[in-house]
Amino acid sequence: MFVGRAEQVEQLLDLLAPAATESGSGTVVVSAVAGMGGIGKTALARHTATQAAEQGWFSGGVLFVDLRGYDLDDNPVQPEQVYAPVLRVLGLASEQIPATVDEQATVYHQVLDQLADQDHRVLLVLDNASTGRQVSDLLPRHPAHRALVTTRDTLAGARQLDLDVLATDEAVHLLTRILARRHPDDTRVTQEPDAAVQLVNTCGALPLAVEITASILADEPTMTITTLLAELTDGLGVHRVRHGEQSLTTVFDLSWRRLRAREPEAADLLPLLTLNPGSDFHTDAAAALAGHPPAHVAPWLRALRQASLLRHTNGRWSMHDVIRLHARDHLDPQQRNPATHRLLEQYQHTARAADAHLRALPGNPVPDRFTGRQDALAWFDIEHTNLTTAVTLALDTGHYELTTQLATNLTQYLEWRRHFTDWVSVSEHALTAAKHLNTPSTLADAWSFLGLALREIRRFDEAITAHYQDLAICLETGDRHGEGAALNNLGNALQDVRRFDEAITAHQNAATIYQETSDRHSEGTALNNLGIALRRVRRFDEAITAHQIASTICRETGDRHGEGKALNNLGNALQELQKFEDAITAYQNAAIIYRETNDRHREGRTLCNLGLALQNLGRLDEAKSAWRKAVTAFQETGDTHWEAIVTSRLGESS
């Protein structure tokens, strides 16, 4: 049963049309429909061939030949087995067909050439070709004819159309049609629309998987879609479900067996790839799983792609969910832990290098794995899902040290990109791992990172508790620098619950400790936070002094981003004293720094503040311009809350 694929049908029809002949080239147009088993290649080829025949393009006939390249008996049809049957279909009597294969091949091509000369074009559909040898000698030589091949492998020399899974709505439509064919009054899809969508998604929108599950439902008219969905998700999995002779396991086993015979290293790699926690991965991750250099692994990945067992998009590799389930069944349990450890080490090593670029001050040595901060951020963005789920994987597999290390290396990035929910989850995992390790410094860091993350999602009381836990460990171990960091973070959390006097004391003590430990940079951070607390209790002159010293320290230490924070806060304090011109200068400089450091969210907040200062001076057009830029920044960062606030200000000022 054919559903959807309208775009693919049009692409193939364009190639099969008489006008598609390459003028003067003398070359037959050979089209190959490639894709994983069960993707619907045969259905597409048959439907397209029927459409072409109905157009009257192939008066010489449309010939279907099943080459059985992926059958269980591993006995694919070879060209010498095809010549005689095809010649009979083309009208030759048995006595006209030569006895030897070579003579049959000669007559086969002579007949096709004669048909072309008589303007009788032929479409040859070669289904299930597993090797080029199966099709090469059968391809017509006259450019008037067409050949359409279906295969799970790459076919050299053909114009290949790689088939993907159905769209969700097409998969639901296929489910509906199969049920209606057996029971015209079947209304289960209409009655359970959400369950129907979940069912086809569980099938990965793979046509064969949808057909199998639909057939099971058709056999049992009283079964609800929800019931079958529960069986698939709680039971053995969709890849093991069968209906009669239809089975995804059988389909994938055939591809697997052929791959093992031709490319054993690639076959061994496929199950290992299922250990990657995310939906796609880089060649470096595959190399780590395999325990071989990337240059060795890349050809194996290409072999898997050519066998339609992997996809390759924008330099990333991925596999269909059903193939992942099947391949996981072939994973050697003894390989699981070593491969997982190698993968986690690879992610942690690269994350550490990227994190170093995010935290580096001018003049600090940084790993040459990345060209700079933007390159490191881009890598984090691409690997975001892999990295956060790798923390979960590390914890679940008992790699506690790697859990805490990965979480530490992700903290700056997750804060920078405002992925606060992920930050909390990663930090909670790190704390669990740290408790297993029971090392004071590791526990202190874990409590610190969790407190920072909790504060961002406004769980302030829990954040305060976390920072007190961090502080207690540092006091117990005599870690003065850690004590300063804990006090600074605690002060910020105390500000959030309006305990300003306690916050001021915490920040002052932190600044004192940093002075004692000669950490000039951290002293600047503490003073900047102190200034915020002082402003909240209307001690504006003291706040301005704190922010001015903080910005000077950041400038001296080369911390451009920290300087931007201090200048923005300085502008806020200056506004409180109605020193609007000075505030505008501070905001403008801060916005420039945030733009340079690619912190679009803070740039937006600063532009919002700048607009207020300009409005207070009656410079409304300039204020509106700043607010429009702020709206753009918030749109880019997905901050709908602040976007709405600034949009409202724009509306009120019109």
Side-chain angles (χ1 to χ4, degrees), residues 210-285:
V210 175
E211 289 179 21
I212 292 172
T213 53
S215 297
I216 293 172
L217 286 169
D219 286 348
E220 303 181 46
T222 60
M223 177 189 284
T224 65
I225 297 176
T226 301
T227 299
L228 178 57
L229 183 62
E231 288 184 13
L232 296 178
T233 53
D234 299 336
L236 295 177
V238 69
H239 64 300
R240 296 198 187 101
V241 174
R242 64 169 54 248
H243 180 266
E245 295 183 354
Q246 287 185 312
S247 167
L248 288 172
T249 296
T250 300
V251 170
F252 295 144
D253 275 342
L254 291 170
S255 294
W256 172 261
R257 187 173 62 190
R258 289 191 68 256
L259 185 66
R260 287 199 65 80
R262 295 188 308 170
E263 298 277 356
E265 296 92 347
D268 290 340
L269 175 62
L270 186 64
L272 292 173
L273 297 178
T274 66
L275 294 173
N276 186 73
S279 60
D280 65 0
F281 53 90
H282 189 267
T283 300
D284 289 347

Side-chain angles (χ1 to χ4, degrees), residues 92 143 247 432 453 548:
L92 267 68
S247 167
T432 300
Q548 287 173 332

Side-chain angles (χ1 to χ4, degrees), residues 435-464:
K435 289 177 179 178
H436 281 282
L437 294 170
N438 200 28
T439 304
S441 61
T442 305
L443 272 170
D445 287 344
W447 279 116
S448 174
F449 296 145
L450 179 58
L452 292 170
L454 289 169
R455 179 173 174 249
E456 293 293 353
I457 61 170
R458 305 185 66 78
R459 288 161 59 179
F460 301 129
D461 290 336
E462 294 172 80
I464 290 170

Side-chain angles (χ1 to χ4, degrees), residues 464 468 490-500 502-503 506:
I464 290 170
Y468 270 124
L490 176 61
N492 289 333
L494 289 168
Q495 286 194 57
D496 293 324
V497 294
R498 306 186 65 79
R499 292 161 60 177
F500 298 121
E502 295 173 75

Side-chain angles (χ1 to χ4, degrees), residues 141-222:
R141 295 169 181 169
H142 197 289
H145 300 309
R146 295 287 182 272
L148 181 56
V149 183
T150 71
T151 180
R152 299 181 198 176
D153 297 272
T154 299
L155 186 65
R159 300 182 182 183
Q160 184 160 305
L161 173 65
D162 292 309
L163 211 56
D164 205 345
V165 297
L166 296 170
T168 299
D169 59 339
E170 293 174 340
V172 172
H173 183 47
L174 175 60
L175 175 68
T176 305
R177 286 187 59 183
I178 294 174
L179 292 175
R181 183 177 60 186
R182 290 276 296 276
H183 306 286
D185 58 347
D186 196 314
T187 59
R188 281 176 285 184
V189 173
T190 303
Q191 292 174 344
E192 302 177 86
D194 293 340
V197 170
Q198 290 181 51
L199 178 62
V200 299
N201 286 338
T202 299
C203 294
L206 186 67
L208 179 57
V210 175
E211 289 179 21
I212 292 172
T213 53
S215 297
I216 293 172
L217 286 169
D219 286 348
E220 303 181 46
T222 60

Side-chain angles (χ1 to χ4, degrees), residues 478-640:
D479 180 0
R480 287 287 280 168
H481 191 272
E483 181 186 348
L487 285 167
N488 190 39
N489 293 330
L490 176 61
N492 289 333
L494 289 168
Q495 286 194 57
D496 293 324
V497 294
R498 306 186 65 79
R499 292 161 60 177
F500 298 121
D501 289 339
E502 295 173 75
I504 289 170
T505 299
H507 290 310
Q508 287 173 333
N509 290 338
T512 299
I513 290 172
Y514 287 135
Q515 287 174 348
E516 292 176 2
T517 57
S518 301
D519 187 345
R520 182 82 166 142
H521 177 252
S522 296
E523 180 189 351
T525 302
L527 288 171
N528 187 40
N529 293 330
L530 173 61
I532 297 172
L534 290 167
R535 180 171 63 85
R536 300 291 294 274
V537 294
R538 306 188 64 79
R539 292 161 61 177
F540 300 127
D541 289 331
E542 294 174 78
I544 289 171
T545 299
H547 291 312
Q548 287 173 332
I549 296 173
S551 65
T552 299
I553 291 173
C554 290
R555 195 176 307 114
E556 290 174 355
T557 57
D559 182 3
R560 288 286 282 168
H561 192 256
E563 183 184 354
K565 291 181 181 180
L567 287 170
N568 180 60
N569 292 326
L570 174 60
N572 292 337
L574 289 166
Q575 276 220 74
E576 296 285 1
L577 293 178
Q578 299 187 16
K579 296 181 178 181
F580 299 122
E581 291 288 359
D582 291 338
I584 288 169
T585 300
Y587 289 138
Q588 288 173 333
N589 290 332
I592 290 171
I593 290 172
Y594 285 138
R595 197 170 308 121
E596 288 177 1
T597 55
N598 196 31
D599 190 341
R600 290 288 281 157
H601 183 267
R602 284 193 173 90
E603 181 186 351
R605 294 285 295 269
T606 300
L607 289 168
C608 180
N609 295 334
L610 173 61
L612 290 173
L614 290 164
Q615 183 184 44
N616 283 323
L617 287 179
R619 294 157 62 178
L620 192 57
D621 288 342
E622 293 175 79
K624 289 181 180 179
S625 176
W627 287 333
R628 290 190 194 98
K629 293 176 182 177
V631 168
T632 300
F634 292 134
Q635 287 173 340
E636 290 179 7
T637 56
D639 191 332
T640 55

